[in-house]
Amino acid sequence: MQGSVRRRQAAAAGAPSRHGAVNEEDNFKNSQFHFDLWFYFTLQNWVLDFGRPIAMILLPLEWFPLNKPSAGDYFHMAYNVITPFILLKLIERSPKTLPRSMVYISIIVFVMGASIHLVGDSVNHRLIFSGYQLHLSVRENPIIKNLKPETLIDSFELLYYYDEYLGHSMWYIPFFLILCIYFSGCFIPIKEEKRQRIPVAALLLIGPSSLYYWYLVTEGQIFILFIFTFFALMALVMHQKRKGLIMDSNGRFLFFSFIITLVLIALWVGWLWNDKILRKKYPGVIYIPEPWAFYTLHMSNLHSAEEQSV
């Protein structure tokens, strides 16, 4: 009797160690580089976000009449569904328990903001076919400044506000907040550093990922939000280092992508530093021109000149 009791006690004493070993193994497995999710995330960002306006311009207008959703609008709808799904999958794979309520609220606001932007951006890009110039303000655009009654101009400015300010804020603030929450779980003990080197697959994805963040920051005009997010990541790195923790491969991938993005933004601003027309549209202290404003100002005029010469 006493022998069986001792055996049960020994088994009970051994159970936590076995469970602990399993949990440690699961944590290490979850901290491995999530190539599949990062690959799909980067791919859909390029195709569905960056590719939206390109598809809208290149595909024949007869396929998508101006009074119907364009190809870019359908891209945006897909983006609004796929992006939050991948972000949730990233959170699920985190080896640490993250604040779920904050994640869910952020996802809800993200989808709402991206949907607001979908409507405003759709109308603004459709106006391009009527001569709207993105490098000019709403009131300075030739097709709008002479509208009668003048209250119509106020309506277009309201549309621009929903697109560029409210939509972008409700879209990007929760987007970067979720990345920060995810990053907070991307730390491992220093002794695991050798097992958490950045794989070649991650190195191949850093370039496209950084280039997309450059497009996101410049086109979305969210440099202040981006730089504060970067400072938050740096603060997390320094705080965790004091506790003997370092970034795992996922954390390094995200952190290094942000560093390269800052370099690309600096090169972009330096290249267009003396552009007087773009300076007029972006008169503030922080001068970061939008890529599509640059396109409508310089590249579209170049294409028009080439067509006329032919």
Side-chain angles (χ1 to χ4, degrees):
M1 182 69 178
Q2 292 178 349
S4 63
V5 171
R6 284 195 297 269
R7 284 195 297 271
R8 285 198 297 269
Q9 289 176 345
S17 63
R18 289 199 299 271
H19 290 309
V22 171
N23 290 337
E24 184 178 353
E25 182 180 350
D26 289 343
N27 287 345
F28 176 71
K29 181 179 179 181
N30 286 338
S31 66
Q32 295 296 304
F33 184 68
H34 306 144
F35 174 76
D36 56 340
L37 292 181
W38 286 120
F39 174 78
Y40 294 138
F41 187 64
T42 304
L43 179 64
Q44 67 93 29
N45 281 336
W46 272 104
V47 174
L48 299 180
D49 191 16
F50 179 79
R52 280 187 300 109
I54 297 176
M56 199 180 304
I57 293 174
L58 294 183
L59 292 179
L61 191 59
E62 295 78 16
W63 295 0
F64 304 95
L66 292 178
N67 61 344
K68 301 293 181 181
S70 68
D73 297 339
Y74 292 113
F75 277 35
H76 207 320
M77 294 175 196
Y79 174 91
N80 292 2
V81 175
I82 297 174
T83 301
F85 175 76
I86 295 179
L87 290 174
L88 285 173
K89 296 302 291 184
L90 280 172
I91 294 296
E92 285 181 6
R93 289 200 188 175
S94 174
K96 294 186 178 180
T97 302
L98 302 175
R100 300 285 177 171
S101 297
M102 179 66 71
V103 172
Y104 295 149
I105 292 173
S106 298
I107 289 292
I108 292 169
V109 176
F110 170 88
V111 173
M112 184 176 179
S115 300
I116 292 173
H117 179 268
L118 164 62
V119 177
D121 194 62
S122 174
V123 176
N124 280 334
H125 278 280
R126 294 307 233 174
L127 289 174
I128 294 176
F129 293 103
S130 301
Y132 188 83
Q133 300 178 37
L134 293 175
H135 63 278
L136 299 176
S137 66
V138 175
R139 289 188 176 272
E140 291 177 342
N141 261 272
I143 67 169
I144 291 180
K145 65 180 180 182
N146 295 323
L147 285 177
K148 300 297 180 182
E150 291 188 0
T151 51
L152 285 175
I153 302 178
D154 295 331
S155 298
F156 277 102
E157 285 190 324
L158 176 62
L159 179 69
Y160 183 83
Y161 172 80
Y162 273 112
D163 177 17
E164 296 294 327
Y165 294 101
L166 184 62
H168 280 181
S169 298
M170 294 181 66
W171 177 1
Y172 295 133
I173 290 176
F175 176 82
F176 284 106
L177 178 59
I178 292 170
L179 289 181
C180 278
I181 293 174
Y182 171 76
F183 184 78
S184 67
C186 294
F187 290 88
I188 56 173
I190 294 179
K191 63 181 181 180
E192 299 287 347
E193 182 177 9
K194 292 183 179 180
R195 301 168 67 184
Q196 282 290 306
R197 297 180 185 273
I198 297 184
V200 176
L203 295 176
L204 294 176
L205 281 179
I206 281 182
S209 177
S210 303
L211 196 57
Y212 170 75
Y213 288 130
W214 163 83
Y215 171 77
L216 192 70
V217 173
T218 53
E219 186 65 28
Q221 293 293 286
I222 54 169
F223 178 76
I224 295 179
L225 173 61
F226 177 79
I227 198 67
F228 273 101
T229 303
F230 179 70
F231 289 154
L233 299 189
M234 287 186 62
L236 275 171
V237 170
M238 292 185 289
H239 174 70
Q240 297 288 8
K241 189 175 182 180
R242 296 193 192 99
K243 297 165 63 176
L245 301 175
I246 59 171
M247 293 180 286
D248 65 8
S249 55
N250 294 285
R252 293 179 186 180
F253 172 78
L254 186 60
F255 190 73
F256 293 156
S257 294
F258 274 38
I259 291 177
I260 297 175
T261 300
L262 286 173
V263 174
L264 294 175
I265 293 172
L267 294 174
W268 173 254
V269 172
W271 183 40
L272 299 175
W273 187 259
N274 295 319
D275 194 306
K276 296 181 180 179
I277 299 178
L278 290 177
R279 274 282 183 180
K280 185 178 179 181
K281 182 176 181 180
Y282 308 97
V285 177
I286 300 178
Y287 168 69
I288 301 180
E290 299 171 69
W292 280 105
F294 170 80
Y295 173 81
T296 59
L297 174 62
H298 296 292
M299 303 305 295
S300 61
N301 293 338
L302 179 62
H303 294 329
S304 299
E306 290 178 352
E307 291 176 358
Q308 292 176 0
S309 63
V310 174

